[in-house]
Amino acid sequence: MVLYEFASVKKEYPDVIGWSNESSTLIECKSSRADFLRDAQKPIRKNPKSGMGHRRYYLCPTGIIKVEDLPPRWGLLWAEKSHISVQREAKGYPARNLSSEVRFLASMLRRAQIRVGSRPLSEWLRGENQFEAVRGVSPNRKRA
């Protein structure tokens, strides 16, 4: 699942964030060097454990950001026309703000207004939980 340009919790507004299995990748898009330097001053950047994304990348036009400019563990992607090249792979943060990621994802699901049949997802889930309660099935049990 990949989401982009959404406001989020903890004053972190990822340009792109995606999940695969238990890992997440965050991409910050920068169009100028000044934009990159402003980003480095954000409180969330000064405390990497409070940020989202197991792997974190900057994406910019070729040459705007150089590998030696990067914070530790960040990767760098350069965009030129319709091609993206990896200048440095992200190393992955051993600690990240997983609760922010979960709240962010939950917020996006609420906003998406996903439907199951003719019913909104939230209404469908309430109905399923009520159905299981009537049958005496705990909503906390693991499904096979």
Side-chain angles (χ1 to χ4, degrees), residues 38-54:
R38 275 191 307 276
D39 189 74
Q41 298 307 310
K42 292 179 181 176
I44 202 88
R45 298 288 177 254
K46 293 181 180 189
N47 181 9
K49 290 180 185 176
S50 66
M52 290 193 279
H54 172 69

Side-chain angles (χ1 to χ4, degrees), residues 16 24 34 39 54 68 100-101 128 136 140:
V16 178
S24 59
D39 189 74
H54 172 69
E68 55 269 17
S100 285
E101 289 185 26
E128 286 296 303
N140 295 327

Side-chain angles (χ1 to χ4, degrees), residues 3-30:
L3 302 169
Y4 57 94
E5 291 186 356
F6 289 102
S8 71
V9 294
K10 292 265 188 188
K11 299 190 183 204
E12 184 168 19
Y13 305 96
D15 292 317
V16 178
I17 188 166
W19 293 268
S20 177
N21 297 323
E22 296 174 8
S23 183
S24 59
T25 301
L26 176 131
I27 300 174
E28 283 295 322
C29 302
K30 301 299 165 196

Side-chain angles (χ1 to χ4, degrees), residues 54-92:
H54 172 69
R55 294 185 314 150
R56 301 171 191 176
Y57 286 91
Y58 281 106
L59 169 66
C60 67
T62 300
I64 297 289
I65 303 169
K66 307 231 183 313
V67 170
E68 55 269 17
D69 299 329
L70 295 174
R73 310 191 76 76
W74 279 72
L76 178 61
L77 307 170
W78 280 353
E80 186 173 359
K81 296 184 183 174
S82 61
H83 178 73
I84 306 265
S85 62
V86 178
Q87 299 303 302
R88 182 168 88 183
E89 288 284 348
K91 301 286 192 242

